Amino acid sequence: MLTRVFSAAIQGVEAIQVEIEVNVGSGDPVIVLVGLPDAAVRESKDRVTTAIANSGFRWPRSRTTVNLAPADLKKEGPSFDLPIAVGMVAVAQGAEIPRLGRCLMAGELALNGEVRPIKGTLPIALEARRQHKKAVIVPKWNAREAAVVEGIEVYGVSNLRETFEFLAQQRELEAVKETLLFGANGADDFDFADVKGQHLVKRAIEVAVAGNHALLLIGPPGSGKSMLSKRIATIMPRMTIEEAIETTKIRSICGLLDPSNSFCVDRPFRAPHHTISDVGLIGGSTNPSPGEISLAHNGVLFLDELPEFKRSTLEVLRQPLEDGKVTVSRAAGTVTFPANVMLVAAMNPCACGYFGDPKRECRCSPKQVENYRNRISGPLLDRIDIHVEAPAVEYKELSSEERSEPSRAIRERIQRARKLQQERFLRNPKCRTNAQMSHSQIKSHCKLNTEGSELLQKAMEELHLSARAYDRVLKVARTIADLAGVPDIEPSHLLEAIQYRTLDRRLWQ
Ligand SMILES: [Zn+2]
């Protein structure tokens, strides 16, 4: 007697259908699990048989083989408990279970037969639809997460008995519906309207977001660097449905969603502490899970106190920032997690924090200031287009009653600038924003007239700007021209872009 049940395994951020065959042969009552199960799946044998007994069902009392196919796909975690249990009850009953073949299911079992929450129900529901299943059965806690997928019925179950009776058409369940309130998230907790003063920094942030440029804020403690950074996601263009699904999938496989917050419509903001491990930041290879850079996918990765991060940690960021994804290699092949982020970093101007401050004296020697700044790896700094100084906020600015421009208004200008970039890069699917331009693209899209060329040349010499600054200035000037809605880069755009190269200037001349 053989029964077949459908489930799915998580690979990166995708789920792949797994067929679970349960076969009863003759011989002593042992359960043999085959098909590359990990320790958690092998342990499920005891949970499953106890849960079956406690649910008032029987399981086969002779040699039972459970095969998880395809065999070369690693099966991890406890989410196969439910389908394995269903298969064993079905095979013990020996009757046909009408709904079994049309459903895909996943869930962990407690010893009393209750179904516990699992990770990754959103990608599992997407895979069920791709496999043309009629329905997907998941733990009740995760049901709303799966229900954002249209074109498939989603059922949330609480225990094994309920699941089996539904499959056997002995009871009905109500399908879970989730309505997406898309684009209605006007009630952001943060808004640029709350930020007083800091006009130059806010302008630099607007330019950075408009061209998707990585940004470094340099300023003394209390200048509001993190307060400003927290608001950056609120002026980024609204996520598309595809982006929202990508971002939600990552949270889903990390088990970070709950019934009240089952779909991410807001761009993420992640601010890992500088003590974070490489694995925590980039993602891990044993039982691969996404790191902070992937949790920030389609949003902002904020690194506060940049020089305090280990140099090696910043080094491992380089490739993912370049590729927009993280590839983790492991025994059974490689797993890829998306990691398309806007990098925002912040640092004090020196170790004591007050270098260049007009009111407070810096206690660092020139050598100490230099050492502090050298802690940031050159290659990472190379990827940061805009450096800007955030001065301490003046008391009169803080106490002013004037309300600043709201995030919504800034976002509208940014969306117009992004639209120009979309049209510019229509034939280049790899390049979507000015920040991603290659050297040859810069040459064709950032042409300067004679006045502009001379100005940039002079600035390079007088301000001792490095050669690497040259392309960065052109890219940023392109974005400033886009924000102004003009086709050619003008000298004023160049001058503004040159201002955003604080760390390229020599400190002492
Ligand atoms: Zn200092």
Side-chain angles (χ1 to χ4, degrees), residues 350-355 362-364:
C350 64
C352 84
Y354 296 101
F355 179 82
C362 167
R363 288 175 281 121
C364 311

Side-chain angles (χ1 to χ4, degrees), residues 47-58:
R47 274 199 307 276
V48 163
T49 49
T50 312
I52 290 174
N54 287 338
S55 305
F57 290 119
R58 281 188 322 113

Side-chain angles (χ1 to χ4, degrees), residues 96-115:
E96 205 209 325
I97 311 298
R99 285 173 174 152
L100 198 53
R102 286 175 287 153
C103 293
L104 190 149
M105 71 193 83
E108 179 180 347
L109 284 175
L111 295 179
N112 63 3
E114 261 174 44
V115 176

Side-chain angles (χ1 to χ4, degrees), residues 25-36:
S26 52
D28 293 338
V30 287
I31 299 166
V32 185
L33 263 173
V34 293
L36 212 61

Side-chain angles (χ1 to χ4, degrees), residues 448-474:
L448 299 179
N449 59 18
T450 322
E451 194 191 348
S453 309
E454 282 171 10
L455 178 95
L456 184 52
Q457 198 54 45
K458 205 160 150 244
M460 299 277 301
E461 286 161 17
E462 283 184 5
L463 296 169
H464 302 275
L465 292 183
S466 68
R468 72 174 179 224
Y470 191 85
D471 276 5
R472 314 259 140 208
V473 167
L474 285 174

Side-chain angles (χ1 to χ4, degrees), residues 149-338:
V149 179
E150 290 180 329
I152 188 158
E153 292 167 17
V154 176
Y155 296 97
V157 290
S158 322
N159 59 60
L160 174 59
R161 174 157 283 278
E162 181 187 61
T163 311
F164 195 82
E165 288 176 354
F166 172 72
L167 292 164
Q169 285 182 342
Q170 291 159 2
R171 77 152 78 197
E172 293 307 317
L173 295 172
E174 198 177 329
V176 182
K177 296 264 184 287
E178 173 77 323
T179 27
L180 293 184
L181 293 169
F182 207 71
N185 56 330
D188 290 322
D189 293 340
F190 302 109
D191 197 293
F192 271 102
D194 314 327
V195 183
K196 296 187 172 166
Q198 298 285 27
H199 298 290
L200 286 175
V201 187
K202 280 193 275 189
R203 166 68 184 177
I205 289 173
E206 179 176 337
V207 173
V209 176
N212 192 29
H213 302 284
L215 172 71
L216 174 63
L217 301 171
I218 306 154
S223 56
K225 290 169 295 192
S226 42
M227 187 205 40
L228 287 155
S229 302
K230 268 187 200 138
R231 285 164 174 77
I232 290 179
T234 67
I235 57 169
M236 293 171 86
R238 290 270 185 226
M239 283 210 276
T240 62
I241 285 274
E242 288 75 25
E243 286 176 322
I245 287 177
E246 283 174 14
T247 299
T248 308
K249 275 203 291 194
I250 295 165
R251 296 182 73 79
S252 174
I253 59 166
C254 293
L256 293 174
L257 299 171
D258 62 57
S260 67
N261 177 21
S262 51
F263 193 65
C264 309
V265 290
D266 293 321
R267 293 192 181 269
F269 172 84
R270 303 293 295 189
H273 190 255
H274 59 74
T275 52
I276 193 169
S277 67
D278 295 5
V279 167
L281 190 59
I282 297 299
S285 57
T286 51
N287 196 4
S289 55
E292 286 291 330
I293 190 172
S294 293
L295 286 166
H297 178 57
N298 289 326
V300 174
L301 178 69
F302 178 55
L303 305 181
D304 200 4
E305 314 240 19
L306 188 65
E308 304 296 330
F309 280 79
K310 284 203 306 277
R311 229 185 143 93
S312 63
T313 304
L314 296 180
E315 286 294 316
V316 297
L317 262 181
R318 271 171 55 203
Q319 204 57 41
L321 284 176
E322 187 120 314
D323 302 341
K325 62 183 188 213
V326 175
T327 304
V328 177
S329 50
R330 49 202 295 253
T334 59
V335 178
T336 302
F337 296 117

